[in-house]
């Protein structure tokens, strides 16, 4: 069966765990290469979604800031994206809202899944339920993840994959 190939991007504030999430998801299993000129790391992973074989081409930008992640050259051609926030830093959720606006302006309203990462740090978890509920009310779909423990990571990528094939 021929795989359907889709590009996805990781976006989010600095240090929310984008690179760690990709590493957790693809570790030891996939090809990877660096495109050093634009500072982007590209990994691929194939997954079974229903009756389809989906090949995700996962773009993770090296620039450690939110601006870099919203550059048109990085986002162009993306079929969807993972919007990552750090559950121990509520401001990264505010940044995510801003980033989503910028991404929508560049690639249009493509599917995305929100990730509230670092759920393993329960003692430091600092996202008020009300803020979370507000996002759900906007129709955002969120998965709590931990790149450290692996919790929710596969699920988050799978959910985005399923969305991409629904289109
Ligand atoms: P990026 O800038 O968004 O790519 O973030 P990184 O993946 O480089 O992670 C930033 C820091 O957060 C690193 O020190 C990681 O080890 C740490 N980190 C990432 N994900 C998690 C997580 O789920 N739990 C914990 N405890 N630390 C994490
Ligand atoms: Mg990174």
């Amino acid at each position: 069966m021929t795989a359907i190939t889709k590009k996805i991007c990781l976006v989010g504030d600095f240090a929310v765990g984008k690179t760690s999430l990709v590493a957790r998801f693809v570790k030891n299993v996939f090809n990877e290469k660096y495109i050093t000129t634009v500072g982007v790391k590209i990994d691929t992973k194939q997954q079974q979604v229903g009756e389809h074989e989906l090949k995700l081409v996962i773009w993770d930008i090296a620039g450690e800031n939110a601006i870099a992640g919203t550059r048109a050259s990085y986002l162009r051609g993306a079929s969807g994206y993972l919007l990552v926030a750090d559950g121990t830093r509520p401001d990264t959720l505010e940044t995510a809202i801003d980033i989503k606006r910028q991404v929508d302006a560049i690639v249009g309203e493509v599917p995305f899944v929100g990730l509230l990462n670092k759920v393993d740090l329960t003692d430091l978890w600092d996202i008020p339920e009300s803020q979370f509920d507000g996002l759900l009310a906007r129709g955002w779909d969120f998965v709590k993840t931990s790149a450290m423990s692996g919790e929710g990571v596969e699920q988050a990528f799978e959910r985005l994959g399923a969305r991409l094939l629904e289109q």
Side-chain angles (χ1 to χ4, degrees):
M1 188 167 41
T2 332
I4 300 164
T5 301
K6 300 276 188 187
K7 170 182 172 178
I8 63 167
C9 291
L10 275 282
V11 295
D13 213 337
F14 77 95
V16 293
K18 299 180 295 297
T19 300
S20 304
L21 286 160
V22 177
R24 165 62 73 181
F25 185 58
V26 304
K27 202 173 176 192
N28 301 332
V29 190
F30 306 99
N31 301 325
E32 59 180 46
K33 63 178 181 186
Y34 286 85
I35 300 178
T36 47
T37 48
V38 290
V40 173
K41 182 169 183 257
I42 299 173
D43 290 284
T44 63
K45 180 161 174 167
Q46 211 151 310
Q47 61 180 190
Q48 185 79 28
V49 181
E51 67 210 34
H52 301 283
E53 193 66 33
L54 176 65
K55 182 180 178 182
L56 288 179
V57 180
I58 306 165
W59 286 49
D60 175 31
I61 201 151
E64 295 300 328
N65 62 66
I67 308 292
T70 56
R71 280 198 196 112
S73 57
Y74 171 64
L75 293 166
R76 198 168 292 127
S79 296
Y81 59 98
L82 294 175
L83 182 58
V84 187
D86 176 344
T88 68
R89 291 187 291 147
D91 59 299
T92 64
L93 204 45
E94 294 306 315
T95 309
I97 291 169
D98 206 46
I99 288 173
K100 183 179 185 302
R101 207 173 296 127
Q102 296 174 52
V103 175
D104 287 349
I106 293 166
V107 291
E109 291 211 16
V110 297
F112 77 101
V113 172
L115 274 63
L116 279 179
N117 192 41
K118 309 196 185 181
V119 71
D120 59 283
L121 296 175
T122 42
D123 293 350
L124 300 171
W125 196 258
D126 201 22
I127 304 274
E129 267 322 295
S130 60
Q131 196 176 3
F132 193 59
D133 291 346
L135 294 173
L136 291 175
R138 285 173 183 237
W140 286 33
D141 181 18
F142 263 97
V143 182
K144 290 181 184 172
T145 59
S146 168
M148 184 171 270
S149 73
E151 181 180 341
V153 176
E154 192 106 348
Q155 186 197 350
F157 280 89
E158 275 173 15
R159 200 177 286 186
L160 182 60
R163 286 276 160 71
L164 298 181
L165 294 180
E166 274 169 18
Q167 293 185 100

